[in-house]
Amino acid sequence: MTQGAKDPLYSILRSKREVSRLQILVEIAEHQPAVRQQEIAEKLGVTPQAISEYIRELVDEGMVSASGRGNYEVTKSGIEWVLANAESLESYARHIRRDIIQQVSVWTAIAAENLKDGDEVGVYMKDGFLYAAKKPSAATGSAIADAKKDEDVGIARLNGIIDHHEGVLHVCKVPRIQHGGSRKVRRDKLLEVTGKAGIVAAVGLEAYIALKSAGRKPDMFFGAREGVIEAAFHGIDCAIVVVDEEFTDFLKRLESVELAYVIHDLITP
């Protein structure tokens, strides 16, 4: 007999019957003593007759005790059987997460220096991009191919936590054209706010023209709202100039994703 055949994990995964018995025992333990076989049948996708047969077998084997119609409880031996199989399944899940998925998952990074296939590298965030270098870092992995500096490189077996902080969003309000549009924007204040931002975006033509008039062409216009949110999540401080009718909805969006923001009112008196 092979080692795999001795492992209770392999026994339960190879047998749909054993999986069903485990599920039924868990359902009984959760709802005991008043157990409704119809509900278990619907939850497991089998017939009530099958559930009844399984429960009868579990009673005969001493894993479930019956004390009247519809009253069942999992016995000590039943609990021990559930725990043994649950531990095996948990161990298998850990094996998948730590050994299998980690082995096959490949992250893409920018090579901060020339790298060779198999090099152990530190992985870190810089300016919103993922980099890999030979210097130590909180997160480490292995290069899966040769890569020259500034080329894309695959990183496998990533371990640790990538040092990362979210960027701050500076939200600037400008008036609609009916209330003066870009002409009512304080250009000096606009340049002060946007000058410190890694990415500048505009929502509304009034916002776009206000930026251009101040000598700062926006990096984003179409899809600007989600674009700056994504950039902020990657650690880039952003400034977004928003026409006033879109302002409140955008703040609600920021609240929903829990990003830090600062409001700037650029409208002249």
Side-chain angles (χ1 to χ4, degrees), residues 45-267:
V46 298
T47 65
Q49 291 81 2
I51 297 297
S52 179
E53 178 63 27
Y54 276 122
I55 291 178
R56 184 161 52 250
E57 289 180 2
L58 292 169
V59 170
D60 291 342
E61 293 174 19
M63 289 199 282
V64 171
S65 63
S67 57
R69 184 177 179 82
N71 289 332
Y72 301 99
E73 291 189 18
V74 181
T75 65
K76 181 182 178 182
S77 64
I79 291 295
E80 290 173 350
W81 189 84
V82 169
L83 287 175
N85 283 285
E87 287 172 2
S88 295
L89 291 172
E90 185 178 359
S91 175
Y92 191 55
R94 283 198 303 269
H95 170 60
I96 292 171
R97 289 194 302 268
R98 296 178 183 178
D99 303 325
I100 305 304
I101 299 303
Q102 185 174 306
Q103 293 279 351
V104 300
S105 294
V106 176
W107 295 57
T108 305
I110 299 172
E113 57 187 297
N114 293 340
L115 299 174
K116 294 290 187 181
D117 184 9
D119 278 349
E120 292 298 315
V121 295
V123 182
Y124 60 94
M125 291 285 291
K126 179 183 176 183
D127 299 327
F129 294 100
L130 199 63
Y131 282 83
K134 295 177 184 177
K135 65 181 181 181
S137 184
T140 60
S142 300
I144 62 170
D146 294 352
K148 294 181 180 179
K149 186 178 184 296
D150 295 327
E151 286 186 341
D152 51 336
V153 60
I155 306 298
R157 294 178 290 280
L158 190 64
N159 283 298
I161 299 175
I162 298 171
D163 288 331
H164 171 260
H165 71 279
E166 293 176 353
V168 176
L169 265 169
H170 296 270
V171 187
C172 308
K173 182 167 67 173
V174 300
R176 283 280 289 155
I177 189 64
Q178 295 92 327
H179 301 104
S182 63
R183 299 167 187 80
K184 284 286 187 178
V185 173
R186 293 176 52 191
R187 294 183 182 177
D188 58 338
K189 182 68 173 176
L190 177 61
L191 288 174
E192 179 185 338
V193 174
T194 59
K196 302 175 183 178
I199 289 179
V200 177
V203 175
L205 278 175
E206 295 90 342
Y208 181 85
I209 297 301
L211 282 165
K212 285 197 66 177
S213 299
R216 179 61 167 93
K217 185 178 179 180
D219 303 301
M220 297 180 185
F221 182 69
F222 301 106
R225 300 172 187 81
E226 294 304 315
V228 293
I229 288 173
E230 185 72 15
F233 276 133
H234 282 76
I236 301 174
D237 291 338
C238 302
I240 183 167
V241 185
V242 185
V243 68
D244 56 12
E245 69 179 10
E246 303 280 351
F247 186 77
T248 301
D249 285 344
F250 183 66
L251 292 186
K252 290 179 180 177
R253 176 72 176 120
L254 295 183
E255 293 286 351
S256 71
V257 296
E258 300 181 350
L259 272 175
Y261 63 89
V262 179
I263 296 174
H264 303 273
D265 191 344
L266 306 181
I267 302 175

